[in-house]
Amino acid sequence: ECHFDAPPEEDSAALEIVGLPSEIAPGARYPLTVRLDDARMVTAGFLISAWLGAERTREAGAFEADPDADPPTVETNGARARSTEARPRVPAPGVAEWSLVWQAPASVPAPIELELWANAGNDDKSPFGDATHKRVFRLGRDGRPDLGDAPGGRGERRLAGAADRGEAGAVNDTDARAD
């Protein structure tokens, strides 16, 4: 474990995935933006995994890095993606964003879970003082997400996080590239 100063913020409202569709078409490609909103952040990183079913034993689809990002801020490996050491896009103070593409699996026989971890780092290159966030986004068996209102009452619709199941884990520098 690298970031152990405090436990992760489970089902964190600071995490958002923009661009998830209201229905999943098997094999379709979806441009996504992973967003972390944390005023304490000086640097940031993330790790996302797509799973078929709540057991999280089978990968669901595949991620691709944004081909227009220069320098690349995301690296991918099948149904997993993470930030690189390049700085993320910062549209506002305390907000970091990364662009990537998710290709849905060829069939959707079970719910899909997108497990997202992120670090709001203080940039002191130590495991102390960073905030680790976790949120699970669940797409139903019929390919429809559980939609909820965005935090802060902005009136936008965003994909709601699934309830935490008490899993252990922590994001570290090799996973999320932020401290």
Side-chain angles (χ1 to χ4, degrees), residues 79-117:
R80 298 176 188 184
R82 68 180 185 179
S83 54
T84 64
E85 291 186 30
R87 297 289 179 173
R89 189 170 87 79
V90 180
V95 177
E97 293 182 343
W98 300 268
S99 297
L100 64 161
V101 176
W102 176 61
Q103 182 168 1
S107 67
V108 185
I112 293 174
E113 292 194 355
L114 301 177
E115 181 181 11
L116 178 59
W117 289 81

Coordinates of all heavy atoms in Angstrom, one line a residue, residues 79-117:
A79 N -9.3 -4.4 -20.2 CA -10.4 -3.8 -19.5 C -9.9 -2.9 -18.3 O -10.7 -2.7 -17.3 CB -11.5 -4.8 -19.0
R80 N -8.7 -2.5 -18.3 CA -8.1 -1.7 -17.2 C -7.4 -0.5 -17.9 O -6.8 -0.6 -18.9 CB -7.1 -2.5 -16.4 CG -7.8 -3.7 -15.7 CD -6.9 -4.5 -15.0 NE -7.6 -5.7 -14.5 CZ -7.2 -6.6 -13.8 NH1 -5.9 -6.6 -13.4 NH2 -7.9 -7.6 -13.4
A81 N -7.5 0.6 -17.2 CA -6.8 1.8 -17.6 C -6.3 2.6 -16.4 O -6.9 2.5 -15.3 CB -7.7 2.7 -18.5
R82 N -5.3 3.3 -16.5 CA -4.8 4.2 -15.4 C -4.1 5.4 -16.0 O -3.7 5.5 -17.2 CB -3.8 3.4 -14.6 CG -2.5 3.1 -15.3 CD -1.6 2.3 -14.4 NE -0.3 2.1 -15.0 CZ 0.7 1.5 -14.4 NH1 0.6 1.0 -13.2 NH2 1.9 1.4 -15.0
S83 N -4.0 6.4 -15.1 CA -3.3 7.6 -15.5 C -1.8 7.3 -15.7 O -1.2 6.4 -15.1 CB -3.6 8.7 -14.5 OG -3.2 8.2 -13.2
T84 N -1.2 8.2 -16.5 CA 0.3 8.2 -16.6 C 0.8 9.3 -15.7 O 0.1 10.0 -15.0 CB 0.7 8.4 -18.1 OG1 0.3 9.7 -18.4 CG2 0.1 7.4 -19.0
E85 N 2.1 9.5 -15.8 CA 2.7 10.5 -15.0 C 2.5 11.9 -15.6 O 2.7 12.9 -14.9 CB 4.2 10.3 -14.8 CG 4.4 9.1 -13.9 CD 5.9 8.8 -13.6 OE1 6.7 9.8 -13.5 OE2 6.3 7.7 -13.3
A86 N 2.0 12.0 -16.8 CA 1.7 13.3 -17.4 C 0.5 13.9 -16.6 O -0.3 13.2 -16.2 CB 1.3 13.1 -18.9
R87 N 0.5 15.2 -16.5 CA -0.5 15.9 -15.7 C -1.9 15.7 -16.5 O -1.9 15.8 -17.7 CB -0.2 17.3 -15.6 CG 1.1 17.6 -14.8 CD 0.9 17.3 -13.3 NE 2.1 17.5 -12.6 CZ 2.2 17.4 -11.3 NH1 1.1 17.1 -10.6 NH2 3.3 17.7 -10.7
P88 N -2.9 15.5 -15.7 CA -4.3 15.4 -16.3 C -4.8 16.8 -16.7 O -4.2 17.8 -16.4 CB -5.1 14.9 -15.1 CG -4.5 15.4 -13.9 CD -3.0 15.4 -14.2
R89 N -5.8 16.8 -17.5 CA -6.5 18.0 -17.9 C -7.1 18.6 -16.6 O -7.7 17.9 -15.9 CB -7.5 17.8 -19.0 CG -8.1 19.0 -19.6 CD -9.0 18.7 -20.8 NE -10.3 18.4 -20.4 CZ -11.3 19.3 -20.1 NH1 -10.9 20.6 -20.1 NH2 -12.5 19.0 -19.8
V90 N -6.9 19.9 -16.4 CA -7.5 20.6 -15.2 C -8.4 21.7 -15.7 O -7.9 22.8 -15.9 CB -6.3 21.1 -14.3 CG1 -6.9 21.8 -13.1 CG2 -5.4 20.0 -13.9
P91 N -9.7 21.4 -15.8 CA -10.6 22.4 -16.3 C -10.9 23.5 -15.3 O -11.4 24.6 -15.6 CB -11.9 21.6 -16.7 CG -11.8 20.4 -15.8 CD -10.3 20.1 -15.6
A92 N -10.7 23.2 -14.0 CA -10.9 24.2 -12.9 C -10.1 23.8 -11.7 O -9.7 22.6 -11.6 CB -12.4 24.2 -12.5
P93 N -9.7 24.7 -10.8 CA -8.9 24.3 -9.6 C -9.6 23.2 -8.9 O -10.8 23.2 -8.7 CB -8.9 25.6 -8.8 CG -9.1 26.7 -9.8 CD -10.0 26.1 -10.8
G94 N -8.8 22.2 -8.5 CA -9.4 21.1 -7.7 C -10.1 20.0 -8.6 O -10.7 19.1 -8.0
V95 N -10.0 20.1 -9.9 CA -10.7 19.2 -10.8 C -9.7 18.6 -11.8 O -8.9 19.4 -12.4 CB -11.9 19.9 -11.6 CG1 -12.5 18.9 -12.6 CG2 -12.9 20.4 -10.6
A96 N -9.6 17.3 -11.9 CA -8.8 16.7 -12.9 C -9.6 15.8 -13.8 O -10.6 15.2 -13.3 CB -7.7 15.8 -12.2
E97 N -9.3 15.7 -15.1 CA -10.0 14.9 -16.0 C -9.1 14.1 -16.9 O -8.0 14.6 -17.3 CB -10.9 15.8 -16.9 CG -12.1 16.4 -16.2 CD -13.0 17.2 -17.1 OE1 -12.6 17.6 -18.2 OE2 -14.1 17.6 -16.7
W98 N -9.5 12.9 -17.3 CA -8.8 12.1 -18.2 C -9.8 11.6 -19.3 O -10.9 11.2 -18.9 CB -8.2 10.9 -17.5 CG -7.2 11.3 -16.5 CD1 -5.8 11.4 -16.6 CD2 -7.4 11.5 -15.1 NE1 -5.2 11.7 -15.4 CE2 -6.2 11.8 -14.5 CE3 -8.6 11.5 -14.3 CZ2 -6.1 12.1 -13.1 CZ3 -8.5 11.8 -13.0 CH2 -7.3 12.1 -12.4
S99 N -9.4 11.6 -20.5 CA -10.3 11.1 -21.6 C -9.8 9.7 -22.0 O -8.6 9.4 -22.1 CB -10.3 12.0 -22.8 OG -10.8 13.3 -22.4
L100 N -10.8 8.8 -22.3 CA -10.5 7.5 -22.8 C -11.7 7.0 -23.5 O -12.8 7.6 -23.5 CB -10.0 6.5 -21.7 CG -11.0 6.2 -20.6 CD1 -10.6 4.9 -19.9 CD2 -11.1 7.3 -19.5
V101 N -11.6 5.8 -24.2 CA -12.7 5.2 -24.9 C -12.9 3.8 -24.3 O -11.9 3.1 -24.1 CB -12.4 5.1 -26.4 CG1 -13.5 4.3 -27.1 CG2 -12.2 6.5 -27.0
W102 N -14.1 3.4 -24.0 CA -14.4 2.1 -23.6 C -15.2 1.4 -24.7 O -16.2 2.0 -25.2 CB -15.2 2.1 -22.3 CG -15.7 0.8 -21.8 CD1 -14.9 -0.3 -21.5 CD2 -17.0 0.3 -21.6 NE1 -15.7 -1.3 -21.1 CE2 -17.0 -1.0 -21.2 CE3 -18.3 0.9 -21.8 CZ2 -18.1 -1.8 -20.9 CZ3 -19.4 0.2 -21.6 CH2 -19.3 -1.1 -21.1
Q103 N -14.8 0.2 -25.1 CA -15.6 -0.6 -26.0 C -16.3 -1.7 -25.2 O -15.7 -2.4 -24.5 CB -14.7 -1.3 -27.0 CG -15.5 -2.1 -28.0 CD -14.7 -2.5 -29.2 OE1 -13.5 -2.2 -29.4 NE2 -15.4 -3.2 -30.2
A104 N -17.6 -1.7 -25.3 CA -18.4 -2.6 -24.6 C -18.1 -4.0 -25.1 O -17.7 -4.2 -26.2 CB -19.9 -2.3 -24.8
P105 N -18.3 -5.1 -24.2 CA -18.1 -6.4 -24.7 C -19.1 -6.8 -25.8 O -20.2 -6.2 -25.9 CB -18.4 -7.3 -23.4 CG -19.1 -6.4 -22.5 CD -18.8 -5.0 -22.8
A106 N -18.8 -7.9 -26.5 CA -19.6 -8.3 -27.6 C -21.0 -8.7 -27.2 O -22.0 -8.7 -27.9 CB -18.9 -9.4 -28.4
S107 N -21.1 -9.2 -25.9 CA -22.4 -9.5 -25.4 C -22.4 -9.1 -23.9 O -21.4 -8.9 -23.3 CB -22.7 -11.0 -25.4 OG -21.8 -11.7 -24.6
V108 N -23.6 -8.8 -23.4 CA -23.8 -8.3 -22.0 C -24.7 -9.3 -21.2 O -25.8 -9.0 -21.0 CB -24.3 -6.9 -22.0 CG1 -24.3 -6.3 -20.6 CG2 -23.5 -6.0 -22.9
P109 N -24.2 -10.5 -20.9 CA -25.0 -11.5 -20.2 C -25.2 -11.2 -18.7 O -26.0 -11.9 -18.1 CB -24.2 -12.8 -20.4 CG -22.8 -12.3 -20.5 CD -22.8 -11.0 -21.1
A110 N -24.5 -10.2 -18.1 CA -24.6 -9.9 -16.7 C -24.3 -8.4 -16.5 O -23.9 -7.8 -17.5 CB -23.5 -10.8 -16.0
P111 N -24.6 -7.9 -15.3 CA -24.3 -6.5 -15.1 C -22.8 -6.2 -15.3 O -22.0 -7.1 -15.1 CB -24.7 -6.3 -13.6 CG -25.7 -7.4 -13.3 CD -25.2 -8.6 -14.2
I112 N -22.5 -5.0 -15.7 CA -21.1 -4.5 -15.8 C -20.9 -3.6 -14.7 O -21.7 -2.7 -14.4 CB -20.9 -3.9 -17.2 CG1 -21.1 -4.9 -18.3 CG2 -19.6 -3.2 -17.2 CD1 -21.0 -4.3 -19.7
E113 N -19.7 -3.8 -14.0 CA -19.3 -2.8 -13.0 C -18.0 -2.2 -13.4 O -17.0 -2.8 -13.8 CB -19.1 -3.6 -11.7 CG -20.4 -4.1 -11.1 CD -20.3 -4.5 -9.7 OE1 -19.2 -4.5 -9.1 OE2 -21.4 -4.8 -9.1
L114 N -18.0 -0.9 -13.3 CA -16.8 -0.1 -13.6 C -16.3 0.4 -12.2 O -16.9 1.1 -11.5 CB -17.1 1.1 -14.4 CG -17.6 0.8 -15.8 CD1 -17.9 2.1 -16.6 CD2 -16.7 0.0 -16.6
E115 N -15.1 -0.2 -11.8 CA -14.5 0.1 -10.5 C -13.5 1.2 -10.7 O -12.5 1.0 -11.4 CB -13.9 -1.2 -9.9 CG -13.3 -1.0 -8.6 CD -12.7 -2.3 -8.0 OE1 -12.5 -3.3 -8.8 OE2 -12.3 -2.3 -6.8
L116 N -13.7 2.3 -10.1 CA -12.9 3.5 -10.2 C -12.2 3.9 -8.9 O -12.9 4.1 -7.9 CB -13.7 4.7 -10.8 CG -13.0 6.0 -11.0 CD1 -11.8 5.9 -12.0 CD2 -14.0 7.0 -11.5
W117 N -10.9 4.0 -9.0 CA -10.1 4.5 -7.8 C -9.4 5.8 -8.3 O -9.0 5.8 -9.5 CB -9.1 3.5 -7.4 CG -9.5 2.3 -6.8 CD1 -10.1 1.2 -7.4 CD2 -9.6 2.0 -5.4 NE1 -10.4 0.2 -6.4 CE2 -10.1 0.7 -5.2 CE3 -9.2 2.7 -4.2 CZ2 -10.2 0.1 -3.9 CZ3 -9.3 2.1 -3.0 CH2 -9.9 0.8 -2.9

